[in-house]
Amino acid sequence: MLAGVVLDALFADPRRGHPVALFGTAAAALEKRTYGDARAAGVVHVAVCVGSVALLGTAASRVRDPLARGVVSAAATWSVLGGTTLGREGAAMASFLEAGDLAGARGRLSHLCGRDPSRLEPPELARATVESIAENTSDAVVAPLLWGAVAGVPGLLVYRAVNTLDAMVGHRNARYERFGWAAARLDDVANAVPARITGVLSALGAPLVSGSAGRALAVLRRDGHRHPSPNSGRCEAAFAGALDVTLGGVNVYGNRVEHRPEMGDGPKPSVPDIRRSVRLARAVGFAAAGLAVLAALRG
């Protein structure tokens, strides 16, 4: 697992042939056969996709040679982590905004989240970036590491499959309201513990970004449950407290408008807060790697 963390730090996500992208392609092809406007159809879709990955992970984990088993574990860890790429995307957004390139920043936002960037000004782009970094620090770093510690290679791969399916079909719209229900609920369960650990680690890391751990923990306790997502709110509230900013507000996704509760006590994020959030996310990732390795050793 440590080797996989190092590989992610050095090389980030591969540009071509990424296993997660290949899984997404296969899941999209399967959806053409399994789709139906019913929860039962979504359950079948999730069962086939996740079950196949679980079988693959179980087979890979049964390699007998210790060196080969280590290589498989490192490769699996690298394939499911996204922390370095997340940090690079945050840094790229900061660079566009620091250079005054609003068009470039708006075009880059799709690499981080699905909000409509066409009318967003720098403060709202900064807020969207900080919120995405907070949420994805759990989804792309902490959660896969902890599931790897608990269940080895199958845990790593199954978690990433669940999270990817949620991103693909776990939407509240006409097509996926019922079909995506199973993927969304399974993702909520898989992220319940990791998101809360992410929140605590983010709060404890506040001094690294000139924040207060006590204040961050207070904001986490007070505001973490106010978000529509049972998990994302813990991460965003902790980041808001650690960075001493206020997150939440109106988000536009195509034709859909969401009014998110505000979290935190400080001003709205500004461009410099993006790089602070990247530093905090990196620290949380390294702390989570340490916790995962300790848990795996004890296991």
Side-chain angles (χ1 to χ4, degrees):
M1 287 181 66
L2 277 177
V5 171
V6 172
L7 287 171
D8 178 66
L10 291 175
F11 304 111
D13 293 334
R15 294 184 179 273
R16 295 182 180 179
H18 195 297
V20 176
L22 296 176
F23 170 79
T25 300
L30 179 66
E31 182 183 334
K32 296 178 180 178
R33 296 179 175 274
T34 58
Y35 179 79
D37 190 17
R39 288 184 176 183
V43 169
V44 171
H45 183 69
V46 170
V48 174
C49 291
V50 175
S52 299
V53 171
L55 290 174
L56 175 64
T58 301
S61 66
R62 290 183 175 177
V63 176
R64 294 186 177 183
D65 180 72
L67 178 59
R69 190 163 58 246
V71 170
V72 168
S73 296
T77 304
W78 178 32
S79 71
V80 302
L81 289 180
T84 299
T85 296
L86 178 65
R88 290 180 179 178
E89 290 298 331
M93 178 65 75
S95 295
F96 279 120
L97 292 174
E98 289 163 354
D101 185 355
L102 185 57
R106 287 172 172 171
R108 195 79 180 194
L109 187 63
S110 63
H111 293 220
L112 287 163
C113 64
R115 298 181 199 179
D116 181 2
S118 60
R119 297 182 180 180
L120 297 184
E121 296 299 320
E124 284 302 301
L125 288 167
R127 177 172 73 85
T129 301
V130 172
E131 290 174 354
S132 296
I133 289 173
E135 177 182 355
N136 285 295
T137 296
S138 178
D139 290 355
V141 185
V142 179
L145 285 171
L146 294 181
W147 278 108
V150 170
V153 171
L156 290 164
L157 300 185
V158 166
Y159 170 77
R160 179 50 64 206
V162 169
N163 189 244
T164 302
L165 284 176
D166 177 59
M168 295 178 68
V169 304
H171 307 295
R172 294 179 179 178
N173 57 32
R175 177 175 174 83
Y176 292 123
E177 181 72 29
R178 285 175 284 275
F179 182 76
W181 173 84
R185 297 291 78 76
L186 186 58
D187 184 73
D188 286 343
V189 172
N191 282 293
V193 173
R196 284 150 182 80
I197 292 176
T198 300
V200 173
L201 291 178
S202 301
L204 295 179
L208 299 175
V209 289
S210 303
S212 165
R215 180 180 62 227
L217 287 169
V219 172
L220 172 59
R221 288 194 298 267
R222 187 193 69 195
D223 296 341
H225 67 283
R226 301 179 65 206
H227 195 282
S229 165
N231 299 319
S232 298
R234 269 65 184 185
C235 309
E236 292 185 22
F239 266 64
L243 300 171
D244 194 20
V245 298
T246 294
L247 300 178
V250 178
N251 297 340
V252 179
Y253 302 88
N255 296 324
R256 180 166 54 91
V257 178
E258 292 187 3
H259 296 267
R260 300 279 180 87
E262 292 189 342
M263 297 176 286
D265 299 314
K268 290 289 186 178
S270 59
V271 175
D273 293 317
I274 296 177
R275 294 196 185 276
R276 294 175 66 215
S277 70
V278 171
R279 292 200 302 272
L280 180 59
R282 187 177 295 118
V284 170
F286 285 131
L291 286 177
V293 169
L294 288 175
L297 290 173
R298 289 179 62 86

